[in-house]
Amino acid sequence: MFRLLKPRLSVSSINKRTFYEKPNAGLPILYEKEPENLNIFQKFKKIRKEWKGEWEKHVQQLREKFNPHMKFIAPNEDDVVWKFNGTTNSLDQWVVNCDRDYGHGYSTAKLELSSNGTGIFHGVLDTRVAKDGRTTHAGYCNITSVPKYLSFRRKVPHDWTNYNELVLRVRGDGRCYLVNILSSKNIDITWFDAYNYIMYTRGGPYWQVIRIPFSKFVYTRKAELHEVQSPLTTNVVKNLGITIADKKPGPFRLEIDHISVCYNPTIYESFAYEMYDVERDN
C-alpha cells in the first residue's frame, strides 16, 4: 500500500479545497473560489473588511495566550481538532485530491456534508494508469487538512506535545485507509516525509472509534518505509490526511464525525518499532 502512494502524493503544499480549470491550459489550477472581477472600490472595501477581521482575530488570540488560567489536559478526554458540524467552514478545513487531478489516473473523490452534518469522503477508486509514458501506478484519493493559521495569515503548526494518541470517530465501508501526519523538522527540504498508519474500517451502520497511539506511526519518505525510523515529532504537526489506495477499484465511502487528540496514561512507549543502525557498503 505504501508503494502505491509513491506517484506524486505530495499534498502538503496544497492549501485550497476546490479545483478550477484555467482556460486553455489543460491543467487544474487551485483556487479557493473562482477569481473575482472587482473594481478599485470593491477591492478597497474587501481589503478593509478582511483587515478588520484579522485584527479582531489577533486580539482574541492575544487574550487566549495571556489567559492566566492554564489549560488542563484531562487524561482519557478527547480534545477535538477537526469537527464536521454541518457548516461549510468545516469543509473548508480540508483539501480533496486524487490521481485524476494531476492527469495520472481516473479516480474521483468528493468531501461533502451528510444530512446529519458529518463529513462524507466518497468517490470511485480507479487503478487504470494514464497512458502518458511516465506513470506506472494509479488509484488513490486523499483528503488533507489545511494548514493552521493565526491572524494575518501566519502559519503555525499544531502542538500535540501533551498528547499521545490520535482518535477518529468514523463510519467506514470495510476498506482500509491510510492516516498520514506531516510533521515539520529542523531541516525540511522535501514534501515527501510523513508518518503513516493503516486504519481498518468495518462496514455496517455503526460508528467506530479508532484510537491510534502516536508511537504506532511509521516514518515514510516518498511513500515508502524509511530504513531509519524515528518517532513522530508531535510539537510541529503541519497537516493530517486520510488516503485510500488499497488497489481495489470501486466505490468507497468514509463518514467522519471528528478527529481528536488524547492523553492516554496507559501508553508508556515512545516508539513501537525497533530501530537499527544501517551501515552501507562503500
Side-chain angles (χ1 to χ4, degrees):
M1 184 172 186
F2 290 103
R3 289 183 176 273
L4 184 61
L5 301 179
K6 187 175 181 179
R8 296 185 181 273
L9 188 59
S10 56
V11 297
S12 60
S13 62
I14 301 176
N15 60 359
K16 305 298 180 185
R17 183 168 63 92
T18 309
F19 287 95
Y20 290 93
E21 290 284 344
K22 183 177 181 180
N24 302 322
L27 294 175
I29 304 298
L30 287 169
Y31 295 102
E32 185 176 3
K33 56 183 179 180
E34 293 185 80
E36 298 176 314
N37 186 17
L38 305 177
N39 57 39
I40 186 64
F41 300 103
Q42 292 173 326
K43 290 180 180 179
F44 179 80
K45 185 178 180 180
K46 182 178 180 180
I47 292 174
R48 181 176 177 272
K49 181 179 179 181
E50 291 183 356
W51 184 262
K52 180 181 179 181
E54 292 299 323
W55 270 111
E56 293 176 351
K57 186 188 299 184
H58 185 64
V59 172
Q60 179 64 28
Q61 291 169 356
L62 288 177
R63 290 176 179 173
E64 295 176 356
K65 181 178 180 180
F66 295 102
N67 189 347
H69 303 288
M70 297 181 61
K71 182 180 179 181
F72 176 71
I73 307 298
N76 297 318
E77 183 175 317
D78 298 344
D79 287 343
V80 177
V81 183
W82 295 280
K83 168 73 175 177
F84 289 96
N85 54 12
T87 64
T88 56
N89 289 335
S90 60
L91 290 180
D92 291 337
Q93 299 179 28
W94 298 89
V95 176
V96 184
N97 76 321
C98 57
D99 51 23
R100 184 177 183 178
D101 298 325
Y102 303 102
H104 302 301
Y106 303 94
S107 303
T108 58
K110 291 183 179 180
L111 180 64
E112 300 176 325
L113 293 174
S114 69
S115 58
N116 297 322
T118 56
I120 300 179
F121 174 42
H122 68 102
V124 178
L125 193 70
D126 197 327
T127 56
R128 291 179 298 163
V129 178
K131 298 179 181 180
D132 56 5
R134 298 169 313 200
T135 306
T136 58
H137 298 81
Y140 79 85
C141 300
N142 176 82
I143 57 173
T144 303
S145 65
V146 172
K148 182 180 178 182
Y149 288 95
L150 296 177
S151 56
F152 302 105
R153 301 298 292 176
R154 293 174 296 157
K155 187 183 296 187
V156 61
H158 298 276
D159 187 357
W160 295 345
T161 306
N162 297 320
Y163 305 94
N164 58 6
E165 193 175 42
L166 184 71
V167 183
L168 302 94
R169 187 173 187 264
V170 299
R171 183 155 53 182
D173 52 4
R175 303 182 68 159
C176 60
Y177 296 79
L178 195 66
V179 180
N180 320 299
I181 294 181
L182 286 78
S183 178
S184 298
K185 295 188 176 181
N186 294 332
I187 301 178
D188 191 9
I189 60 176
T190 176
W191 297 334
F192 298 103
D193 292 355
Y195 290 85
N196 308 103
Y197 187 85
I198 297 178
M199 176 178 68
Y200 296 93
T201 65
R202 58 170 181 257
Y206 300 107
W207 288 91
Q208 63 180 123
V209 177
I210 299 176
R211 314 188 77 90
I212 309 172
F214 290 150
S215 60
K216 300 293 186 181
F217 282 86
V218 295
Y219 176 45
T220 62
R221 176 170 293 178
K222 294 186 178 181
E224 292 186 349
L225 287 174
H226 197 271
E227 58 188 12
V228 180
Q229 289 292 314
S230 61
L232 172 66
T233 308
T234 56
N235 62 329
V236 284
V237 174
K238 294 192 299 184
N239 309 84
L240 183 140
I242 299 177
T243 303
I244 180 169
D246 57 2
K247 299 183 180 181
K248 298 179 181 178
F252 65 90
R253 187 180 189 274
L254 179 68
E255 188 172 358
I256 307 170
D257 180 18
H258 65 79
I259 300 175
S260 311
V261 289
C262 175
Y263 170 65
N264 187 340
T266 63
I267 299 177
Y268 299 101
E269 63 182 5
S270 59
F271 196 58
Y273 309 102
E274 296 181 353
M275 294 181 288
Y276 302 95
D277 293 331
V278 179
E279 297 182 359
R280 297 183 179 273
D281 296 332
N282 294 328

